[in-house]
Amino acid sequence: MVDYHAANNQSSAGGQQTYMEQENDWDRDLLLDPAWEKQQRKTFTAWCNSHLRKAGTQIENIEEDFRDGLKLMLLLEVISGERLPKPERGKMRVHKINNVNKALDFIASKGVKLVSIGAEEIVDGNSKMTLGMIWTIILRFAIQDISVEETSAKEGLLLWCQRKTAPYKNVNVQNFHISWKDGLAFNALIHRHRPELIDYDKLRKDDPVTNLNNAFEVAEKYLDIPKMLDAEDIVNTARPDEKAIMTYVSSFYHAFSGAQKAETAANRICKVLAVNQENEHLMEDYEKLASDLLEWIRRTIPWLENKTPEKTMAQMQEKLEEFRDYRRCHKPPKVQEKCQLEINFNTLQTKLRLSNRPAFMPSEGRMVSDINGAWHTLEGAEKGYEEWLLNEIRRLERLDHLAEKFRQKAAIHESWTNGKEALLTEDFMTASLSEVKALLRKHEAFESDLAAHQDRVEQIAAIAQELNELEYFDSPTVNARCQKICDLWDVLGALTQNRRESLERTERLLESIDLLYLEYAKRAAPFNNWMEGAMEDLQDMFIVHNIEEIQHLISAHEQFKSTLAEADRERGAIEGIKNEAQKIAENNGIQLTQTNPYTTITQQSIDTKWNKVQELVPQRDKALQGELTKQMSNDHLRRQFATEANVVGPWIQNKMEEIGRISIEMHGTLEDQLTHLRQYEQSIIDYKPRIDKLEVDHQLIQEALIFDNTYTAYTMEHIRVGWEQLLTTIARTINEIENQILTRDAKGISQEQLHEYRASFNHFDKDHSGALQAEEFKACLISLGYDVENDKQGDAEFARIMGIVDPNNCGAVTFQAFIDFMSRETTDTDTADQVIASFKILAGDKNFITAEELRRELPPDQAEYCIARMAPYQGPDGIPGALDYMSFSTALYGESDL
């Protein structure tokens, strides 16, 4: 007989003590009760077959079928998962003994001390020794590893049974013999784990055979636990065999323990997949919102950059109204979308960090920085378009004024030149002396008149030049009319010079001249020109932009009115000359001609023009006063806007500063801060009517064509930008607090730790910018106990930490990144290895998993999610339809591509 006692001297003291107790029990039971031996043989045989069938074989007689050692070695390989030495295939006794010894050596290598059990007894078919050996194997491989609350083996298995059956009536498990006779304990174990298999309330304690058969049949049919005992063997025995019951019960433990592990593994995978699916939805939402916003910006910028000028003021006013509608209706929702996009992006990145996932990188061109750049371009185009609109309106207003002025002056000049060319070409060779003298004087008066009109011609040319420079749409017509006036003016100048020379040649032959007519002509001509200039000035259009300019025009008009009395005296003097000539002629019997030979200006025309001047003066008064009223109204609009803007502007600036202080101060819990910030946000939103009131005032100013305001430094553009920045800043601050709450709840960080982190961060944030520069962050880490001093090892550690908190190399660390780092350093998260281990459990320890197994263990949507994304398994042990769960798990955590 082989003694394995010496072979196990190196086993652990704990192992020796455990199996010594077991061996002592067996020694006391060497003379088994026949009923117990029958129960053990049946139970042990069923237990062995439950494992051997995995290798495609079984035993029928436990003493005979293990004699050659072959199935014994196979049994050990199946239950241990290890390979034993190659068995000997001979049929001689020595071959059998060697095979059994190999099996016993393997059992001894697992810390089992075998006493009085040798290979010869097994080969000889010793029933008690064979049962004892099988019991030793069961203890080592089925019962020893059972552990419940620091108890193991038999005590652990008993405690597990007591815990699972505690809620059931008439069940009191105290041992592994009498407590199981009525069958209720077996049924309770099954019902506790699979309640749908047994109607426990219908079982009766006084019907043990029915109870036992029900439990054994259900276990064999649904739990893959072979029937190891007959109900009658247990009921008809005063004390059922303890080893047989323990073996049977251990099978229940392992069956339900495996299901529990599978359930735990499935739950872990479900949790991981749920997080991944939610993150994917958030990524898709971000991509769509970013694409829509960028597309809107792409469509809007060309519209804002289209600066094709219009020909009329009405058309430009229509464009201005379209721009106001864009500002009021189309842009505000997009401002909200941009803010929400940044909030969604920050929330997604926080969730990815909390779930140990890689950061989300949007598609090319859809980064938050890309959207901000596009938005900046949009606002630049918007500002340029508004400036262009206002400049174009000013230009068109100026053009309309100049064009009307050109038409008035041109009409007056053309009226004056009408017939002058014919007048200058009249034949005077047959005229008398008096007529020649009269013609000469008349020509002198005409020259005076011509010189007086020189300024008007120059003004017409200057206005035409300015219209050309300002790109007046009807410039060709203006240029043609101006050229015609200039050409005629040159002709008149040449004709005038020629006529004067001709008259002077004949002047020496003429003696008579009518001095009074000449005097009349000389004084009437400039006075007539003065009246025409006065009428022109009184009808001249004017454009002013403020009270000072209109007051200057009113002052000039009052000065003009002060000269009317002197002009009236001059008119009377001219009329007196005419009357004096008539009086002399009447007194001396001289018959005068109908018209003054020296001028075409009659007293009637002078009186008519004088009356016209008198009529135009009050009209000019009324127009100037109306413009003064308009400018006073405009000034009121300026003051009204300035009064409100000078309140709203500083209010927005103060709110921005208060938000900056709130974001770095620590008052109360994060929930208190969040509540306070939301109340603060509501107070800001409640201020919106003031902004709307400013928009209304600003629209009134623009409609009144007011382009400056000396009463305030704030423009509506400043107010809009400040308001949008204020809304964005408070939304971002709230989002930061929400992300801190997510970090705290997910990582289990206490409020005290958050206060400590905030206090440390604020202490080193000297400029209160909300971010730590590299040297400030290093000082903060040193204060928290990190070894990042200025040496080689410290610099390497600091570089590693900066790579985590500042992956984009911005040179600054935000408070959110600081919290993420501190929470990552102090908490645990799911890893790819944990997910792989969970999948391995669901796959039954295989290196691959099938679609059928995923659908059986996971909810339908998450099972299909895995099936759609898992790559085919390429290993040599794969089967058709095998899926690679390892590469899938690493991809979930960014270690490979999904």
Side-chain angles (χ1 to χ4, degrees):
M1 181 182 294
V2 179
D3 186 359
Y4 283 87
H5 187 277
N8 289 279
N9 286 336
Q10 296 180 357
S11 301
S12 65
Q16 290 176 353
Q17 183 178 0
T18 301
Y19 287 101
M20 184 62 73
E21 295 171 359
Q22 148 213 320
E23 289 161 2
N24 290 340
D25 291 343
W26 183 257
D27 291 340
R28 289 192 297 271
D29 296 336
L30 284 176
L31 298 176
L32 288 174
D33 180 278
W36 288 6
E37 183 176 352
K38 177 182 177 183
Q39 293 175 15
Q40 287 185 12
R41 181 178 288 105
K42 184 177 295 185
T43 302
F44 292 176
T45 299
W47 184 86
C48 291
N49 283 333
S50 70
H51 293 286
L52 285 172
R53 68 182 178 181
K54 298 176 183 177
T57 187
Q58 63 179 9
I59 62 172
E60 295 181 359
N61 189 310
I62 199 168
E63 298 95 339
E64 294 297 326
D65 292 348
F66 285 143
R67 289 180 63 185
D68 60 2
L70 294 177
K71 289 188 177 180
L72 179 60
M73 294 178 70
L74 182 59
L75 174 65
L76 291 173
E77 285 186 347
V78 171
I79 62 178
S80 68
E82 301 179 21
R83 299 288 295 180
L84 272 67
K86 186 175 180 180
E88 298 180 11
R89 294 296 179 180
K91 297 185 179 295
M92 299 178 63
R93 178 178 176 83
V94 66
H95 296 144
K96 298 178 180 180
I97 291 175
N98 288 340
N99 287 339
V100 174
N101 274 330
K102 289 178 182 179
L104 295 178
D105 288 340
F106 179 77
I107 296 172
S109 71
K110 297 302 180 182
V112 179
K113 184 172 66 176
L114 299 169
V115 179
S116 301
I117 300 177
E120 289 83 350
E121 284 84 353
I122 305 304
V123 174
D124 292 339
N126 187 312
S127 175
K128 293 182 177 57
M129 290 301 175
T130 301
L131 292 175
M133 177 190 66
I134 297 303
W135 172 243
T136 301
I137 293 172
I138 292 172
L139 277 176
R140 172 61 183 84
F141 292 102
I143 299 177
Q144 178 185 341
D145 292 336
I146 296 175
S147 177
V148 180
E149 293 190 0
E150 301 181 358
T151 64
S152 61
K154 177 181 178 180
E155 290 78 8
L157 182 59
L158 183 62
L159 179 57
W160 178 78
C161 294
Q162 291 171 341
R163 291 286 177 81
K164 296 299 182 180
T165 61
Y168 294 88
K169 63 181 180 179
N170 297 326
V171 178
N172 184 17
V173 178
Q174 297 298 326
N175 49 55
F176 287 106
H177 39 79
I178 300 300
S179 298
W180 303 84
K181 282 191 67 176
D182 58 10
L184 291 177
F186 283 108
N187 282 279
L189 282 179
I190 297 172
H191 186 268
R192 181 64 180 271
H193 294 91
R194 297 287 299 276
E196 76 278 5
L197 299 179
I198 290 180
D199 188 352
Y200 186 83
D201 293 335
K202 291 185 178 180
L203 301 177
R204 302 200 326 271
K205 187 174 180 66
D206 58 358
D207 191 3
V209 173
T210 301
N211 297 342
L212 289 167
N213 283 330
N214 181 65
F216 295 163
E217 291 170 1
V218 169
E220 184 174 29
K221 182 176 181 181
Y222 296 104
L223 304 179
D224 200 24
I225 299 174
K227 186 174 182 180
M228 298 182 182
L229 290 171
D230 291 327
E232 291 76 7
D233 294 339
I234 298 176
V235 174
N236 296 331
T237 305
R239 185 174 183 268
D241 180 63
E242 184 176 51
K243 298 178 179 62
I245 298 297
M246 284 181 65
T247 301
Y248 211 157
V249 173
S250 70
S251 297
F252 282 88
Y253 172 84
H254 288 294
F256 293 132
S257 176
Q260 185 175 3
K261 288 181 180 178
E263 181 181 356
T264 302
N267 288 337
R268 177 183 289 275
I269 291 173
C270 289
K271 176 184 175 184
V272 170
L273 293 178
V275 170
N276 213 62
Q277 288 173 309
E278 180 184 0
N279 290 340
E280 286 186 358
H281 289 319
L282 289 175
M283 293 175 190
E284 292 171 359
D285 291 343
Y286 173 88
E287 289 284 344
K288 183 178 185 306
L289 190 57
S291 297
D292 293 346
L293 185 57
L294 287 171
E295 177 60 20
W296 177 81
I297 294 174
R298 185 190 66 78
R299 293 195 313 268
T300 304
I301 288 178
W303 175 69
L304 293 173
E305 291 176 343
N306 180 17
K307 298 178 181 178
T308 304
E310 299 294 345
K311 295 181 179 180
T312 65
M313 178 72 76
Q315 291 172 323
M316 289 305 299
Q317 289 285 5
E318 183 178 351
K319 278 198 171 187
L320 179 61
E321 188 58 36
E322 289 176 358
F323 181 74
R324 289 172 182 159
D325 185 67
Y326 156 81
R327 272 275 181 78
R328 291 191 301 264
C329 303
H330 298 290
K331 186 183 178 185
K334 299 302 177 183
V335 173
Q336 292 295 328
E337 288 180 15
K338 177 176 176 292
C339 178
Q340 189 62 44
L341 187 70
E342 294 179 3
I343 291 173
N344 290 353
F345 181 83
N346 292 336
T347 301
L348 173 59
Q349 297 293 41
T350 299
K351 289 186 176 181
L352 288 173
R353 287 194 296 270
L354 295 179
S355 59
N356 201 23
R357 303 301 196 276
F360 170 55
M361 290 297 293
S363 303
E364 183 177 358
R366 294 189 179 120
M367 297 286 291
V368 173
S369 59
D370 297 324
I371 293 171
N372 287 334
W375 191 264
H376 181 72
T377 303
L378 174 72
E379 291 185 329
E382 184 178 302
K383 182 178 179 182
Y385 187 74
E386 184 177 29
E387 291 175 353
W388 174 79
L389 280 176
L390 297 178
N391 289 335
E392 275 298 298
I393 289 174
R394 294 191 190 101
R395 184 181 71 84
L396 288 176
E397 183 183 25
R398 173 67 176 166
L399 283 175
D400 288 346
H401 170 70
L402 288 175
E404 183 60 26
K405 192 170 185 178
F406 173 85
R407 286 190 289 271
Q408 287 186 0
K409 288 185 176 293
I412 293 172
H413 181 76
E414 288 167 345
S415 175
W416 178 83
T417 59
N418 185 32
K420 294 296 189 291
E421 185 176 359
L423 179 66
L424 291 173
T425 57
E426 286 180 353
D427 183 21
F428 56 85
M429 296 305 295
T430 59
S432 63
L433 177 61
S434 60
E435 289 174 342
V436 171
K437 288 183 176 289
L439 287 175
L440 183 59
R441 300 299 181 268
K442 182 178 180 181
H443 188 71
E444 289 175 352
F446 175 80
E447 286 182 326
S448 177
D449 199 9
L450 187 68
H453 281 78
Q454 177 70 35
D455 289 340
R456 182 179 290 112
V457 174
E458 292 175 356
Q459 290 174 5
I460 290 171
I463 293 172
Q465 179 65 27
E466 188 171 358
L467 287 172
N468 278 278
E469 291 174 354
L470 293 177
E471 299 178 358
Y472 181 54
F473 77 95
D474 199 18
S475 292
T477 303
V478 171
N479 292 336
R481 191 172 184 182
C482 179
Q483 187 62 46
K484 183 177 179 181
I485 290 173
C486 292
D487 292 342
L488 181 60
W489 183 256
D490 293 337
V491 171
L492 291 177
L495 291 175
T496 300
Q497 182 66 27
N498 293 335
R499 187 174 182 82
R500 180 174 183 81
E501 291 174 356
S502 297
L503 288 172
E504 286 178 348
R505 280 195 305 269
T506 58
E507 185 181 16
R508 293 185 297 271
L509 302 174
L510 301 176
E511 299 175 349
S512 179
I513 188 170
D514 190 344
L515 294 178
L516 287 174
Y517 273 165
L518 181 60
E519 179 68 12
Y520 175 91
K522 288 183 178 180
R523 295 185 67 171
F527 184 74
N528 183 69
N529 288 336
W530 175 86
M531 285 191 298
E532 288 180 350
M535 287 189 296
E536 182 179 347
D537 291 339
L538 289 172
Q539 296 177 86
D540 189 20
M541 294 180 64
F542 56 85
I543 178 170
V544 296
H545 300 94
N546 52 53
I547 292 179
E548 289 75 15
E549 292 178 0
I550 188 60
Q551 287 177 340
H552 176 73
L553 289 179
I554 292 174
S555 175
H557 183 62
E558 292 298 326
Q559 185 177 359
F560 166 77
K561 289 197 295 184
S562 66
T563 65
L564 290 178
E566 181 180 354
D568 191 42
R569 287 194 293 273
E570 177 65 11
R571 185 188 65 80
I574 293 172
E575 186 177 9
I577 292 173
K578 181 181 75 69
N579 293 336
E580 181 65 19
Q582 290 177 345
K583 182 178 179 181
I584 293 173
E586 291 173 358
N587 292 336
N588 296 279
I590 298 173
Q591 187 174 359
L592 299 176
T593 60
Q594 293 297 320
T595 59
N596 191 320
Y598 307 115
T599 181
T600 59
I601 302 172
T602 65
Q603 187 63 43
Q604 182 180 0
S605 66
I606 291 176
D607 292 340
T608 300
K609 292 178 181 179
W610 176 256
N611 293 334
K612 183 65 175 178
V613 169
Q614 294 290 86
E615 179 182 330
L616 289 174
V617 167
Q619 294 178 3
R620 185 72 168 183
D621 285 334
K622 183 178 180 181
L624 290 173
Q625 288 300 321
E627 185 63 28
L628 177 62
T629 302
K630 174 184 174 183
Q631 291 302 323
M632 291 178 67
S633 174
N634 290 353
D635 195 67
H636 171 71
L637 291 176
R638 289 189 184 97
R639 292 177 184 273
Q640 179 176 292
F641 177 87
T643 301
E644 190 70 13
N646 289 337
V647 173
V648 173
W651 182 87
I652 291 176
Q653 185 175 358
N654 291 338
K655 292 300 179 182
M656 292 289 289
E657 294 173 357
E658 289 176 13
I659 293 173
R661 289 196 299 271
I662 291 173
S663 65
I664 63 173
E665 292 174 355
M666 300 179 293
H667 297 302
T669 65
L670 289 176
E671 284 76 10
D672 294 338
Q673 295 177 33
L674 184 60
T675 300
H676 177 60
L677 280 172
R678 284 176 173 160
Q679 293 172 349
Y680 202 85
E681 182 185 37
Q682 186 59 46
S683 69
I684 292 174
I685 294 172
D686 293 340
Y687 202 78
K688 184 63 165 57
R690 297 288 293 272
I691 305 298
D692 296 338
K693 173 64 167 55
L694 266 181
E695 287 284 359
V696 173
D697 293 344
H698 180 65
Q699 181 173 348
L700 292 175
I701 285 178
Q702 286 196 328
E703 290 173 350
L705 300 178
I706 299 171
F707 304 107
D708 57 3
N709 194 340
T710 60
Y711 301 112
T712 181
Y714 294 99
T715 67
M716 196 62 224
E717 182 64 24
H718 293 154
I719 299 297
R720 291 192 193 105
V721 172
W723 177 252
E724 292 173 0
Q725 289 178 348
L726 179 60
L727 293 178
T728 302
T729 300
I730 187 65
R732 286 175 179 165
T733 304
I734 290 174
N735 181 246
E736 289 175 2
I737 298 299
E738 291 172 339
N739 287 341
Q740 291 175 26
I741 292 174
L742 283 174
T743 302
R744 181 198 66 190
D745 295 341
K747 300 297 185 179
I749 301 174
S750 65
Q751 189 68 36
E752 291 72 21
Q753 285 177 304
L754 282 176
H755 278 298
E756 180 183 355
Y757 294 159
R758 172 55 83 178
S760 299
F761 188 93
N762 288 347
H763 176 74
F764 292 96
D765 185 15
K766 302 300 184 183
D767 57 355
H768 303 297
S769 64
L772 298 181
Q773 301 302 314
E775 290 302 316
E776 294 175 337
F777 181 59
K778 178 181 281 190
C780 182
L781 289 176
I782 293 173
S783 72
L784 294 173
Y786 284 82
D787 185 12
V788 291
E789 297 291 344
N790 293 324
D791 54 38
K792 186 174 182 180
Q793 182 178 359
D795 290 341
E797 176 63 8
F798 182 70
R800 181 190 71 82
I801 295 175
M802 283 299 291
I804 296 173
V805 299
D806 184 24
N808 296 324
N809 294 325
C810 298
V813 180
T814 64
F815 182 62
Q816 185 61 44
F818 178 73
I819 289 180
D820 290 342
F821 169 75
M822 296 304 298
S823 64
R824 183 182 298 179
E825 292 290 297
T826 56
T827 59
D828 189 18
T829 58
D830 290 328
T831 66
D833 290 339
Q834 290 175 329
V835 176
I836 290 173
S838 298
F839 272 117
K840 194 174 186 68
I841 291 174
L842 296 187
D845 288 336
K846 299 191 298 295
N847 292 327
F848 59 85
I849 195 168
T850 66
E852 180 182 359
E853 289 170 331
L854 287 171
R855 292 189 176 104
R856 184 179 67 237
E857 301 294 346
L858 299 180
D861 60 332
Q862 295 186 340
E864 297 305 324
Y865 177 84
C866 293
I867 293 169
R869 286 165 173 77
M870 280 187 183
Y873 178 69
Q874 303 296 334
D877 55 340
I879 63 173
L883 300 175
D884 187 355
Y885 61 78
M886 294 184 183
S887 63
F888 174 77
S889 300
T890 57
L892 287 177
Y893 289 86
E895 300 175 16
S896 65
D897 294 331
L898 186 60

